[in-house]
């Protein structure tokens, strides 16, 4: 199946052929990698600005940790964390994605300037998410881009759910079921992005199995987001986790990913340039 190269609904400057780098901005006290580092609003805005200056095409703002075992935060607290940051960065022209599983947070975030809704549950955690995403309009006059990830359950139970006959095949099938549900709720394909959910309800070996099966990752015919940055299966290699993440970014770009979501922007920006060049040479 031919993979759609990129979604509609984003500024024209993001319409090139290369793989984009999305910078992670966790406005949380407990994220697995950088929890607490940018919990203050001013610190978060400053870091989001830095990510953009370093070359991140998009900054992904999240107010709820999805690390294994993390407790959920309530709606009001999630809104308190992310909305001022989104408003400030969007006002400076930064393209913002909101990382949320709540439709109410998605609605408020788009009103604050976000152009992308990144739902790790693909609408499973909030049955209203798909319909709300279809009805929303961003400042560009279109629905937000909707990133749908393979997900089986919340952080407190996800490790118990890593049981598959074939992790790559099963996760692709389950994600396709969620994409079908989102389409039925009114989300159009041209605004959808597929994420295989590395690190979510998968063992270390299962993550590698999923990543190695690019045919399965691309089977939805949608733009692809890869989020491997600093995750446990990457750290287990015994090398610098940002360097290992960059290697996965190069691999993803060479295979035609729309974007990679990372904590360290400069290393992955260099990596996707290499991957894009290799992919370009392969087409000649």
């Amino acid at each position: 199946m031919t993979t759609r190269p990129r979604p509609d609904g984003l500024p024209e400057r993001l319409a090139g052929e290369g793989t984009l780098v999305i910078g992670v901005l966790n406005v949380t006290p407990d994220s697995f990698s950088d929890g607490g580092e940018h919990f203050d609003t001013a610190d978060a805005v400053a870091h989001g600005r830095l990510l953009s200056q370093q070359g991140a095409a998009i900054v992904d703002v999240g107010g709820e940790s999805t690390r294994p075992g993390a407790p959920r935060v309530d709606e009001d607290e999630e809104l308190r964390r992310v909305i001022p940051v989104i408003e400030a960065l969007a006002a400076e022209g930064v393209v913002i994605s909101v990382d949320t599983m709540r439709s109410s947070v998605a609605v408020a975030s788009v009103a604050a300037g976000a152009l992308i809704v990144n739902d790790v549950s693909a609408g499973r955690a909030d049955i209203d998410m798909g319909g709300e995403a279809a009805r929303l309009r961003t400042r560009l006059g279109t629905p937000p881009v909707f990133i749908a990830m393979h997900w089986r359950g919340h952080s407190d139970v996800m490790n118990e759910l890593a049981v598959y006959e074939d992790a790559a095949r099963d996760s692709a099938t389950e994600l396709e079921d969620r994409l079908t549900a989102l389409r039925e709720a009114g989300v159009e394909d041209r605004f959808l992005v597929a994420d295989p959910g590395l690190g979510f309800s998968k063992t270390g070996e299962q993550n590698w199995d999923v990543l190695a099966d690019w045919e399965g990752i691309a089977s939805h015919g949608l733009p692809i987001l890869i989020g491997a940055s600093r995750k446990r299966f990457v750290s287990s290699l015994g090398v610098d986790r940002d360097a290992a993440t960059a290697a996965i970014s190069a691999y993803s770009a060479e295979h035609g990913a729309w974007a990679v979501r990372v904590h360290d922007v400069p290393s992955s920006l260099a990596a996707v340039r290499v991957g894009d060049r290799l992919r370009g040479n392969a087409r000649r």
Side-chain angles (χ1 to χ4, degrees):
M1 181 179 293
T2 301
T3 302
R4 179 187 293 272
R6 55 198 60 248
D8 290 342
L10 295 176
E12 192 65 30
R13 69 179 187 272
L14 303 187
E17 293 185 359
T19 295
L20 302 179
V21 174
I22 299 176
V24 177
L25 179 52
N26 291 317
V27 191
T28 62
D30 57 347
S31 292
F32 74 93
S33 174
D34 55 357
E37 291 183 13
H38 317 298
F39 192 42
D40 176 79
T41 297
D43 290 342
V45 172
H47 189 64
R49 189 180 297 124
L50 175 63
L51 293 170
S52 180
Q53 291 169 349
Q54 289 175 331
I58 298 162
V59 173
D60 189 47
V61 180
E64 180 176 18
S65 174
T66 52
R67 64 172 175 80
R72 294 215 69 187
V73 300
D74 64 35
E75 177 184 341
D76 289 342
E77 176 62 12
E78 187 180 359
L79 288 165
R80 186 195 69 78
R81 293 176 181 182
V82 302
I83 298 303
V85 178
I86 293 171
E87 287 177 338
L89 290 172
E92 296 182 14
V94 178
V95 177
I96 298 295
S97 166
V98 61
D99 181 355
T100 186
M101 292 181 278
R102 288 188 171 100
S103 60
S104 58
V105 177
V107 170
S109 297
V110 169
L115 300 182
I116 302 169
V117 175
N118 180 13
D119 181 359
V120 299
S121 80
R124 286 187 65 182
D126 183 341
I127 60 172
D128 295 327
M129 181 65 94
E132 289 288 7
R135 285 189 289 272
L136 285 172
R137 292 297 180 271
T138 71
R139 58 181 172 80
L140 299 182
T142 69
V145 173
F146 192 96
I147 300 171
M149 194 191 80
H150 175 255
W151 183 89
R152 282 184 162 185
H154 288 289
S155 297
D156 58 341
V157 297
M158 68 177 175
N159 283 345
E160 302 166 20
L161 303 176
V163 180
Y164 302 85
E165 289 187 13
D166 182 312
R169 181 194 64 199
D170 294 351
S171 60
T173 298
E174 291 169 17
L175 179 54
E176 186 60 35
D177 290 343
R178 290 309 309 155
L179 291 166
T180 297
L182 290 167
R183 290 168 179 133
E184 290 173 350
V187 182
E188 298 178 60
D189 265 23
R190 64 194 182 103
F191 298 107
L192 278 171
V193 173
D195 179 341
L198 298 173
F200 287 80
S201 297
K202 298 171 186 70
T203 66
E205 283 303 312
Q206 289 167 347
N207 283 304
W208 290 114
D209 289 344
V210 170
L211 190 57
D213 180 22
W214 200 268
E215 182 177 349
I217 289 173
S219 63
H220 313 290
L222 297 170
I224 297 163
L225 171 65
I226 296 295
S229 184
R230 297 182 179 175
K231 292 184 176 175
R232 186 176 302 171
F233 81 101
V234 175
S235 300
S236 68
L237 293 174
V239 297
D240 179 84
R241 57 187 179 175
D242 287 325
T245 297
I248 294 173
S249 295
Y251 166 85
S252 302
E254 185 178 1
H255 284 77
W258 164 66
V260 294
R261 179 182 180 274
V262 302
H263 298 81
D264 184 68
V265 169
S267 61
S268 277
L269 185 62
V272 299
R273 297 275 173 83
V274 171
D276 287 337
R277 181 59 184 268
L278 291 171
R279 180 173 172 80
N281 287 343
R283 288 199 299 265
R284 293 190 182 113

